[in-house]
Amino acid sequence: MARRRDTTRQEQGRAAPAGERWFAELVPGLEAPARAELQRLGARRLEPVADGVRFEAAQPARLVREARLVAAFYLALDFAVPRPKALLGDAAFRRLSEAVARVAGPHGRGTPLSGGPFDGLRLAAAGAGSPVMLRLGEALAGAAGLGFDPEAGELVVRLRPGRRGGWEVLVRLTPRPSSARAWRVCNRAGGLNAVVAAAMNELVGVRPDDRYLNLMCGSGTLLVERALAGPARRLVGVDLDPAAVTCAERNLQAAGAAERCELLAADVAELDAGLGRFDVVVADAPWGDAVGEHDANRRLYPLLLERAAALAAPGARFALLTHEVRLARRLLPAAPGWELVRELQVAHGGHNPLLLLLGRR
Ligand SMILES: C[S@@+](CC[C@H](N)C(=O)[O-])C[C@H]1O[C@@H](n2cnc3c(N)ncnc32)[C@H](O)[C@@H]1O
């Protein structure tokens, strides 16, 4: 009976008992816009920690559904135990398995909080392969009615030493991280993390009368995220590679945004005034980490900055994500028409590209 009442409360979006703590894993470098988004969506008592932020929320399901700038959401629990083995003790294990059941729902079928079913449970912890961790993982999976799958389990339970002693347990609320968007039906090598794309759009500003141009759009991550963030006067994506344009088209279709966007297979160098003027330009330029690409980028980057300026309306904003940190820093002071507003170093797939926010002079 108690369980049924809980489910009903969750469905009404009033799930969280007072004082319950949640954890949002954030992309390093993008903490500030992500924290602002969390507060806008109702998170309270934010407490920044090394790789994210802890918070309270009356409607955590709303946060999970609507936040675009968070890498993953977790239910957070602190255990005053000296080592993980003690989590197998009666009281600690009961509390832990109740938390897992709250996220997983009956037999891992999911809850309004998770938004979907889970296939298997895994532990993510230093020493996850040790006998104690394996016992704990198996016991938790059994209590939740799930299989224990140390490699690919979708219900992720993270264990790590607590900040004030003891152990912290984080139960991921969704079967996949939030950056794995439902709209992504096509991916390409070098595809941008959707959380980084959403943050780039947020930092450069989302206004309903913007004419928005995504140069070198690849699979369309920036364009899709911008279309989903709100109305715009125009939304245009351009890529040299027709296969990239087809891929972006598929993702836009899946996002239900294809009809609002224009896609063009073209070389940035050849874009001219015929395309129109834009209030926002964004680009995630070629990485240049393969031999030979650096040379191509030395020719491409000046052209990119020059063409972006030519297509930019007065007062336009330009967000450029680049792995060519030294090249971009060298070119920027002499770049025609652009002044540096802000720069951020962002973590992306083991790299630390530079996010440049530029303003049209
Ligand atoms: C890092 S990828 C962009 C990835 C994209 N943000 C995504 O999420 O899939 C760089 C893209 O630049 C495109 N590109 C390279 N040179 C170009 C040029 N001269 N004109 C237009 N696009 C170009 C490539 O085809 C590639 O799709």
Side-chain angles (χ1 to χ4, degrees):
M1 194 62 193
R3 175 175 294 215
R4 176 156 177 71
R5 253 204 318 275
D6 268 347
T7 306
T8 309
R9 263 196 335 211
Q10 286 174 7
E11 279 160 3
Q12 290 169 348
R14 288 186 276 112
E20 201 164 37
R21 299 292 281 168
W22 308 90
F23 171 70
E25 186 182 341
L26 305 181
V27 174
L30 297 174
E31 294 88 349
R35 285 202 296 264
E37 179 185 59
L38 285 167
Q39 283 176 308
R40 206 166 53 240
L41 293 173
R44 296 285 170 264
R45 300 190 59 200
L46 270 64
E47 180 192 355
V49 292
D51 54 348
V53 60
R54 276 195 172 215
F55 59 94
E56 290 179 11
Q59 295 187 29
R62 178 183 175 215
L63 282 158
V64 175
R65 239 185 1 257
E66 295 183 24
R68 314 294 297 173
L69 311 186
V70 169
F73 282 102
Y74 298 80
L75 178 57
L77 297 106
D78 295 308
F79 289 87
V81 294
R83 56 189 69 84
K85 188 175 180 187
L87 295 172
L88 284 158
D90 279 353
F93 186 76
R94 197 173 325 112
R95 188 171 158 234
L96 189 50
S97 47
E98 276 170 12
V100 169
R102 168 145 159 60
V103 172
H107 302 287
R109 283 198 291 269
T111 64
L113 197 55
S114 65
F118 293 88
D119 189 0
L121 177 148
R122 81 181 133 105
L123 288 189
S130 70
V132 165
M133 290 290 190
L134 292 174
R135 256 176 66 205
L136 183 61
E138 264 162 24
L140 273 179
L146 283 165
F148 179 49
D149 182 346
E151 300 302 321
E154 291 181 337
L155 204 158
V156 178
V157 180
R158 284 172 64 185
L159 269 75
R160 58 186 184 182
R163 288 154 301 143
R164 300 179 191 99
W167 282 77
E168 180 184 44
V169 179
L170 301 169
V171 185
R172 196 172 75 192
L173 299 187
T174 51
R176 277 160 289 284
S178 315
S179 51
R181 305 290 210 232
W183 56 255
R184 187 172 292 284
V185 292
C186 178
N187 209 348
R188 288 171 60 80
L192 186 57
N193 178 327
V195 169
V196 176
M200 281 174 70
N201 287 330
E202 185 71 26
L203 286 164
V204 84
V206 173
R207 301 176 193 162
D209 57 349
D210 275 342
R211 293 160 296 181
Y212 175 97
L213 175 62
N214 179 189
L215 295 171
M216 306 169 155
C217 67
S219 65
T221 315
L222 283 154
L223 188 61
V224 176
E225 286 295 318
R226 175 58 187 86
L228 295 177
R233 221 179 337 157
R234 254 188 108 188
L235 294 165
V236 180
V238 177
D239 199 285
L240 180 64
D241 184 347
V245 171
T246 305
C247 182
E249 169 77 24
R250 290 182 55 207
N251 285 328
L252 285 166
Q253 293 276 6
E259 283 174 11
R260 295 167 52 212
C261 298
E262 304 158 51
L263 285 170
L264 184 66
D267 188 333
V268 161
E270 282 161 18
L271 297 177
D272 61 26
L275 191 61
R277 288 291 194 95
F278 295 86
D279 309 289
V280 175
V281 184
V282 294
D284 160 27
W287 291 20
D289 49 2
V291 177
E293 285 182 15
H294 284 299
D295 288 343
N297 279 347
R298 269 194 283 275
R299 289 188 296 277
L300 182 61
Y301 271 57
L303 267 170
L304 169 62
L305 289 164
E306 186 270 319
R307 283 294 81 201
L311 295 164
R317 299 97 69 196
F318 182 12
L320 171 62
L321 186 74
T322 174
H323 294 251
E324 293 278 18
V325 174
R326 267 186 297 174
L327 177 61
R329 284 219 170 98
R330 183 163 60 72
L331 289 174
L332 216 50
W338 294 115
E339 66 185 359
L340 181 64
V341 176
R342 190 172 169 196
E343 66 171 65
L344 298 164
Q345 197 98 42
V346 178
H348 190 284
H351 296 255
N352 290 296
L354 195 62
L355 172 53
L356 298 166
L357 298 168
L358 310 175
R360 184 78 174 90
R361 270 200 288 261

